[in-house]
Amino acid sequence: MNIGRLIPFLQEKCKEIKTHCATGSDDIFEPKYAFLEGNFKNWQENQSQKNFGRKYILSLIYWNKDEWLFAGIYESVSVSEENSKYKYETCLLNVANEFIGKLIINFKKDFRASYLRLEKYIENMNVLEIKRESIKIDFPGYDKVNVSWNELSNLIKIDSWKTALENQKGVYLITDINSGKMYVGSAYGENMILGRWENYIANGHGGNKELKKIEFEYIKKNFRYSILEIFKSTIDDKIILARETWWKETLLTRKFRV
């Protein structure tokens, strides 16, 4: 089914609508994380150029290749410029809101432009799936965590990840995908793994003297984070430190430092 049949407003008003195919500049999934955190409206309203030149905005968020999540239809109320940036004021319309976070649209976009005249592409936008509940991100399991700095910076704001990480002590691994070097660390203080990883997101080094030698921008581009072992919050910290030492010796991270 074409999206215009499912949501007649889009067909009727297509020449007044700018389609926003939302992707992040550094992390393609940035708008997805903003949506899951409830901040997509604010994320969309901040633009580097005057991109919304029509009355309405059809907001589609990149989900997977050729798949876009319907995030609502907005009215562009006003726009202001400050320091060569543009701040829009938008209002979510009471149109098709029952599909927000549930409707996945198939749209093959093999070009870079992200702000499209709807009438030119509406016939190529078809309903792929309508989910029963609004999409959310579940924590994948401690043994499946392997994320980049950009991914982690967004994921640790999501409730399922926060809950999982703040309740476990553990030993974790940081890998430099450019050099192949590794760093083993442990988490046992306040908020446990979550608290430790929040420090890395804040400044890149988390207070570690070796990591302080590395530029923050390099860390953002090249570091990945995974979990080697987890322990209950009641486990003695000495056990965590002993396991950290064991992993360092096993992986030879003291010999091949980051």
Side-chain angles (χ1 to χ4, degrees), residues 148-149 174-176 211 214 218-219 221-225:
S148 67
W149 185 95
I174 301 175
T175 305
D176 182 339
L211 297 182
I214 304 174
Y218 179 90
I219 287 173
K221 292 179 180 178
N222 295 290
F223 276 26
R224 294 190 68 86
Y225 304 79

Side-chain angles (χ1 to χ4, degrees), residues 169-171 186 231 235-244:
K169 297 179 180 180
V171 181
S186 60
F231 301 89
I235 294 293
D236 193 296
D237 293 347
K238 293 179 181 179
I239 295 176
I240 313 298
L241 292 169
R243 293 303 296 168
E244 177 186 6

Side-chain angles (χ1 to χ4, degrees), residues 105-201:
I105 296 167
N106 175 253
F107 176 44
K108 296 183 179 180
K109 189 175 83 69
D110 54 2
F111 49 88
R112 294 186 62 183
S114 298
Y115 304 88
L116 315 175
R117 293 175 293 169
L118 180 58
E119 69 272 20
K120 186 175 180 179
Y121 297 98
I122 190 170
E123 296 304 319
N124 299 322
M125 297 178 179
N126 297 304
V127 175
L128 180 65
E129 181 183 2
I130 300 177
K131 298 181 179 292
R132 290 186 178 183
E133 297 182 357
S134 183
I135 285 173
K136 61 181 180 179
I137 288 184
D138 294 322
F139 183 72
Y142 300 99
D143 59 336
K144 293 182 175 63
V145 173
N146 181 12
V147 294
S148 67
W149 185 95
N150 275 322
E151 291 171 328
L152 184 61
S153 67
N154 289 294
L155 288 167
I156 62 172
K157 301 173 187 174
I158 294 172
D159 288 343
S160 62
W161 277 70
K162 288 175 67 174
T163 299
L165 296 177
E166 70 183 356
N167 289 303
Q168 294 287 336
K169 297 179 180 180
V171 181
Y172 56 85
L173 177 69
I174 301 175
T175 305
D176 182 339
I177 62 172
N178 181 53
S179 68
K181 294 179 180 179
M182 297 180 290
Y183 167 78
V184 172
S186 60
Y188 46 86
E190 185 178 358
N191 293 330
M192 293 169 248
I193 297 176
L194 176 66
R196 194 75 190 96
W197 282 7
E198 283 178 333
N199 290 335
Y200 289 123
I201 295 306

Side-chain angles (χ1 to χ4, degrees), residues 3-251:
I3 191 177
R5 289 186 59 194
L6 180 67
I7 308 174
F9 178 90
L10 297 177
Q11 190 69 60
E12 296 164 4
K13 303 286 188 179
C14 63
K15 292 186 177 180
E16 300 179 63
I17 300 173
K18 184 67 72 75
T19 303
H20 181 199
C21 295
T23 60
S25 56
D26 296 320
D27 181 354
I28 195 171
F29 294 113
E30 184 180 336
K32 177 174 76 172
Y33 296 133
F35 175 82
L36 293 167
E37 295 162 19
N39 296 323
F40 177 75
K41 181 177 181 292
N42 181 67
W43 183 91
Q44 179 174 250
E45 288 179 334
N46 291 280
Q47 296 288 319
S48 59
Q49 298 183 45
K50 208 170 183 179
N51 292 313
F52 302 134
R54 289 188 167 184
K55 184 175 183 180
Y56 302 111
I57 305 164
L58 166 61
S59 299
L60 305 179
I61 297 173
Y62 180 85
W63 196 255
N64 285 306
K65 180 175 172 55
D66 301 331
E67 297 179 9
W68 301 83
L69 178 68
F70 175 70
I73 303 169
Y74 293 80
E75 181 180 356
S76 178
V77 179
S78 64
V79 59
S80 58
E81 182 180 2
E82 184 176 348
N83 298 324
S84 299
K85 300 289 184 180
Y86 293 89
K87 174 67 175 179
Y88 281 83
E89 179 186 350
T90 65
C91 177
L92 179 64
L93 299 184
N94 188 24
V95 177
N97 287 353
E98 67 273 21
F99 297 125
I100 293 176
K102 300 177 182 178
L103 171 61
I104 303 292
I105 296 167
N106 175 253
F107 176 44
K108 296 183 179 180
K109 189 175 83 69
D110 54 2
F111 49 88
R112 294 186 62 183
S114 298
Y115 304 88
L116 315 175
R117 293 175 293 169
L118 180 58
E119 69 272 20
K120 186 175 180 179
Y121 297 98
I122 190 170
E123 296 304 319
N124 299 322
M125 297 178 179
N126 297 304
V127 175
L128 180 65
E129 181 183 2
I130 300 177
K131 298 181 179 292
R132 290 186 178 183
E133 297 182 357
S134 183
I135 285 173
K136 61 181 180 179
I137 288 184
D138 294 322
F139 183 72
Y142 300 99
D143 59 336
K144 293 182 175 63
V145 173
N146 181 12
V147 294
S148 67
W149 185 95
N150 275 322
E151 291 171 328
L152 184 61
S153 67
N154 289 294
L155 288 167
I156 62 172
K157 301 173 187 174
I158 294 172
D159 288 343
S160 62
W161 277 70
K162 288 175 67 174
T163 299
L165 296 177
E166 70 183 356
N167 289 303
Q168 294 287 336
K169 297 179 180 180
V171 181
Y172 56 85
L173 177 69
I174 301 175
T175 305
D176 182 339
I177 62 172
N178 181 53
S179 68
K181 294 179 180 179
M182 297 180 290
Y183 167 78
V184 172
S186 60
Y188 46 86
E190 185 178 358
N191 293 330
M192 293 169 248
I193 297 176
L194 176 66
R196 194 75 190 96
W197 282 7
E198 283 178 333
N199 290 335
Y200 289 123
I201 295 306
N203 55 32
H205 56 73
N208 179 269
K209 64 180 182 181
E210 295 295 329
L211 297 182
K212 283 181 178 181
K213 301 174 184 177
I214 304 174
E215 292 184 1
F216 196 9
E217 290 304 313
Y218 179 90
I219 287 173
K220 291 180 181 180
K221 292 179 180 178
N222 295 290
F223 276 26
R224 294 190 68 86
Y225 304 79
S226 56
I227 296 173
L228 297 172
E229 279 189 284
I230 58 168
F231 301 89
K232 294 180 180 179
S233 60
T234 54
I235 294 293
D236 193 296
D237 293 347
K238 293 179 181 179
I239 295 176
I240 313 298
L241 292 169
R243 293 303 296 168
E244 177 186 6
T245 298
W246 186 88
W247 278 107
K248 286 180 176 179
E249 292 173 349
T250 300
L251 297 175

